[in-house]
Amino acid sequence: MENVNLESYKRVIRDYFQEFIRVFCMERVRFLALFLGFGSIFVWGIWAERIRMDKIFADWINGIPILFALVSGVLHRVPLPFMMYLVPCSREQRERYIQRMLAVKVAVPMGFGLLCDGLAAWAGALSLYVFVLQMAGIFFLSCLCGMLNEGGIIGAEKRIAYGDLQPFAAVLLAVCNIVGMAVFIICMGSVSQVEFWIVISVMVLFLLPMLAAVGKRWGQIRRNFADYEMAAGIVE
């Protein structure tokens, strides 16, 4: 069999977008749950008057980038699809693929956020506070989910590939998603100076140390997920 090139960004970017289709076909129930969850947030937002119906475009275009980052973080996993562990390539090649996929997982949501912010600025609906919260939220969400998500919060603490982060993986993912949903709601309304500093402080106090701790161990986590036995291993 010919050696398969996993390392080109063209291949990685293609796989990133194909993952949306693959997961949708395999896990329609999760997509329905996400739809119902964010639909409930939308209804709550109208009820709480954070979202005014006469400004629906302006409000939602500010929230969409965070929503996309959340969905991307939930659906994309650190381990490779099973068949990719069977192709004739080295563990080092798989590790480089995982590293490049992480770069794409961060770059695509941030690029999408900049595109939406350009539209929001053109529509006069973007404030500096919202822009900073969006970019910070997308960065933290994409990085943490990109390094930790292996298919869901439930059971994450049993994956041996996380190494010494294994007992905390589920908690870290849960905190990341909760903060992400809070930022999503806040960005859909007008953000005051007080709200801005509260949210930024929460990110600095919680997400930044989490990112530093996971980033410090990312090299080992990446090497473990490049090995199928480690990626599939579960502690009972």
Side-chain angles (χ1 to χ4, degrees):
M1 298 177 66
E2 295 182 0
N3 192 33
V4 178
N5 180 18
L6 296 177
E7 301 172 55
S8 69
Y9 272 108
K10 182 179 179 180
R11 166 69 183 265
V12 174
I13 293 170
R14 185 195 70 186
D15 289 350
Y16 171 85
F17 286 104
Q18 284 185 341
E19 186 72 358
F20 286 106
I21 300 173
R22 187 186 71 83
V23 176
F24 175 75
C25 292
M26 294 178 60
E27 303 182 35
R28 293 183 180 88
V29 174
R30 289 180 66 190
F31 267 90
L32 179 60
L34 283 171
F35 175 79
L36 293 176
F38 285 109
S40 300
I41 291 173
F42 174 67
V43 173
W44 177 86
I46 295 175
W47 177 78
E49 294 185 354
R50 287 198 60 86
I51 304 174
R52 300 195 302 272
M53 292 306 293
D54 61 333
K55 294 185 65 180
I56 191 70
F57 171 78
D59 290 327
W60 268 89
I61 199 171
N62 286 332
I64 284 175
I66 296 293
L67 175 59
F68 180 79
L70 281 168
V71 172
S72 176
V74 168
L75 299 184
H76 290 87
R77 305 177 179 184
V78 181
L80 306 174
F82 174 71
M83 291 303 297
M84 291 187 70
Y85 287 102
L86 303 180
V87 299
C89 61
S90 66
R91 178 176 174 175
E92 289 72 21
Q93 286 177 300
R94 295 190 186 98
E95 188 177 340
R96 284 194 291 270
Y97 176 93
I98 292 172
Q99 180 62 42
R100 292 192 173 189
M101 180 59 79
L102 174 63
V104 172
K105 290 174 185 176
V106 176
V108 171
M110 292 198 72
F112 180 74
L114 290 173
L115 177 63
C116 288
D117 285 342
L119 292 174
W122 172 77
L126 182 68
S127 70
L128 179 61
Y129 290 151
V130 169
F131 175 75
V132 174
L133 289 182
Q134 274 185 4
M135 291 297 105
I138 291 171
F139 178 76
F140 282 120
L141 282 170
S142 300
C143 286
L144 287 168
C145 289
M147 291 188 286
L148 290 176
N149 184 42
E150 51 73 49
I153 294 175
I154 298 176
E157 74 281 356
K158 297 181 180 181
R159 293 288 180 179
I160 61 176
Y162 292 128
D164 61 355
L165 281 180
Q166 175 192 317
F168 313 104
V171 174
L172 294 176
L173 278 172
V175 171
C176 182
N177 285 309
I178 290 171
V179 173
M181 293 184 71
V183 174
F184 167 68
I185 294 171
I186 290 170
C187 284
M188 288 195 301
S190 58
V191 177
S192 68
Q193 185 177 23
V194 173
E195 287 177 323
F196 172 78
W197 286 111
I198 289 174
V199 177
I200 282 294
S201 298
V202 169
M203 289 183 180
V204 171
L205 291 175
F206 292 96
L207 297 187
L208 186 58
M210 286 167 50
L211 182 60
V214 177
K216 183 179 179 180
R217 296 162 177 81
W218 169 239
Q220 185 60 55
I221 293 172
R222 185 182 63 226
R223 286 190 290 273
N224 289 344
F225 275 112
D227 184 334
Y228 178 72
E229 292 185 358
M230 290 292 292
I234 298 178
V235 175
E236 299 295 340

